[in-house]
Amino acid sequence: MRPLRSLILALATAACFCAPVHAADSGPAADVAGIRQVVEQFQAAIIAHDGKTLGSLFLQDHDSWLSVADDATYADVKKRHPDAKKIMRSSWKEFADDIRKSTKAVEERFYNVRIDTNGAVGSVYFDFDFIQDGKVNNRGSETWQMVRAEDGWKISSMLYSVGR
């Protein structure tokens, strides 16, 4: 009976280590709060069609912006457009201009936002729904690389998936 008790105890202990791990924000609280403020400003600027505020959230002299189609979306697009690329390059300037010019209601909802920073650099990772005229136009995951510049936190690069 003793070996059975030991086995049960060992399995119960192992189960404790198999529990799901939830990501949490990490880094100095003031810096996490500063980055979170950029996230909130980004979302509000999209809803307000405020391209100027959107643009102010990015490093002005740096422009790394990539989108990557998920496999299902890419296969679907490829059927209609054989020359379509899986990875597409754009810019924050183009995005801010598109938001500013949009005549439809637009919003980007973020879920599972995770922020990690050491106070000088940071990253933001989240899942999102991009909503245009009340309908989900795109959904996926997005990541920002951030730097703390002289005038506060700025987005230096962005990478997101394109899905449906």
Side-chain angles (χ1 to χ4, degrees), residues 47-130:
I47 292 169
H49 298 264
D50 186 352
K52 183 176 180 180
T53 296
L54 267 176
S56 74
L57 302 175
F58 290 85
L59 279 180
Q60 298 303 296
D61 59 348
H62 189 69
D63 202 4
S64 181
W65 180 294
L66 296 173
S67 59
V68 181
D70 66 25
D71 290 342
T73 302
Y74 182 60
D76 185 47
V77 170
K78 195 81 169 153
K79 288 178 196 170
R80 292 176 280 132
H81 306 282
D83 294 337
K85 302 223 182 281
K86 185 170 177 63
I87 300 171
M88 296 156 282
R89 183 181 165 100
S90 189
S91 72
W92 66 261
K93 293 172 188 167
E94 192 173 315
F95 178 71
D97 198 42
D98 287 347
I99 292 298
R100 184 182 58 78
K101 290 179 180 176
S102 179
T103 58
K104 298 178 180 180
V106 289
E107 179 180 4
E108 189 171 4
R109 294 185 187 150
F110 297 170
Y111 309 94
N112 306 317
V113 178
R114 297 175 299 276
I115 296 170
D116 190 23
T117 181
N118 68 359
V121 298
S123 66
V124 182
Y125 187 94
F126 53 89
D127 301 313
F128 72 91
D129 292 334
F130 191 84

Side-chain angles (χ1 to χ4, degrees), residues 7-59:
L7 178 61
I8 291 171
L9 182 59
L11 289 174
T13 302
C16 290
F17 293 106
C18 294
V21 177
H22 298 283
D25 295 340
S26 68
D31 292 307
V32 169
I35 292 172
R36 190 164 302 282
Q37 182 178 12
V38 173
V39 170
E40 292 166 3
Q41 289 173 316
F42 185 91
Q43 290 179 289
I46 289 175
I47 292 169
H49 298 264
D50 186 352
K52 183 176 180 180
T53 296
L54 267 176
S56 74
L57 302 175
F58 290 85
L59 279 180

